[in-house]
Amino acid sequence: MELWVTDGTAAGTRMVKDLRVGQAGSSPAELTVSGGRLFFSADAGGGRTLWALDAGTTEPRAIRGAKNIEFQNPSELTDLNGILLFRSTNGFIRGSELYRSNGTSAGTFLLKSISTGVTGSSPREFVVIGNVAYFVATGTTTGAELYRTDGTAAGTLLVKDIWVGGSSS
């Protein structure tokens, strides 16, 4: 399984790139358009990472962060008005947290660590309304509760601790 493109005809259907040569394939998933780019997760042989394909190009690229650290197991890819929001881990530094990307390595980073420590907040179930994305995350002092982000660290907040001492989920 690899990433393919088509114009709807047999002659216009082709593989974009064989990211993981051989029968195993890279198994692209979570295809999401954001800011004129196609983002997806794929495993090119070293684990599932974040990839981007710019409009009008044919060469997907792996997105790496500072010190060439790859964003591992990206999921929940969501477009927020041209900003890609996603959940990912960054090695053993922290658990699953909220990241953002503009499609470049320099523009891909941890948006906010909602839960301190190695467990992470596991942000999930993103819903975009206007200029805000709402999602469920597990905070350091809360269970799974409703959060929101406008794509900035300062604008990423707990909406309400609905079930104090537990998880409202």
Side-chain angles (χ1 to χ4, degrees):
M1 285 185 13
E2 293 293 351
L3 184 64
W4 288 70
V5 64
T6 187
D7 64 5
T9 67
T13 303
R14 64 175 176 72
M15 184 186 306
V16 173
K17 183 171 182 162
D18 194 358
L19 295 175
R20 186 172 186 175
V21 179
Q23 290 184 341
S26 66
S27 300
E30 304 232 14
L31 280 68
T32 304
V33 174
S34 181
R37 293 178 172 91
L38 173 65
F39 290 90
F40 59 97
S41 68
D43 182 352
R48 189 160 288 282
T49 58
L50 184 64
W51 292 76
L53 180 64
D54 293 333
T57 66
T58 58
E59 189 66 29
R61 66 184 183 294
I63 297 179
R64 294 174 170 78
K67 299 179 184 173
N68 208 31
I69 295 172
E70 295 189 21
F71 299 95
Q72 300 168 352
N73 299 314
S75 63
E76 304 284 337
L77 278 62
T78 303
D79 174 59
L80 175 62
N81 301 320
I83 299 168
L84 181 78
L85 301 174
F86 64 102
R87 164 179 149 176
S88 187
T89 59
N90 198 328
F92 296 103
I93 298 168
R94 68 180 56 85
S96 179
E97 287 292 352
L98 179 62
Y99 288 79
R100 67 171 276 170
S101 180
N102 66 1
T104 68
S105 291
T108 304
F109 52 89
L110 174 70
L111 180 57
K112 187 164 189 174
S113 184
I114 295 169
S115 181
T116 58
V118 295
T119 58
S121 66
S122 300
R124 59 200 176 275
E125 301 180 41
F126 289 88
V127 174
V128 175
I129 301 174
N131 294 324
V132 176
Y134 293 90
F135 59 98
V136 176
T138 303
T140 302
T141 60
T142 67
E145 296 292 349
L146 181 64
Y147 283 78
R148 61 168 274 159
T149 186
D150 62 3
T152 67
T156 303
L157 309 161
L158 172 69
V159 173
K160 180 168 178 61
D161 189 353
I162 297 168
W163 183 0
V164 178
S167 291
S168 71
S169 297

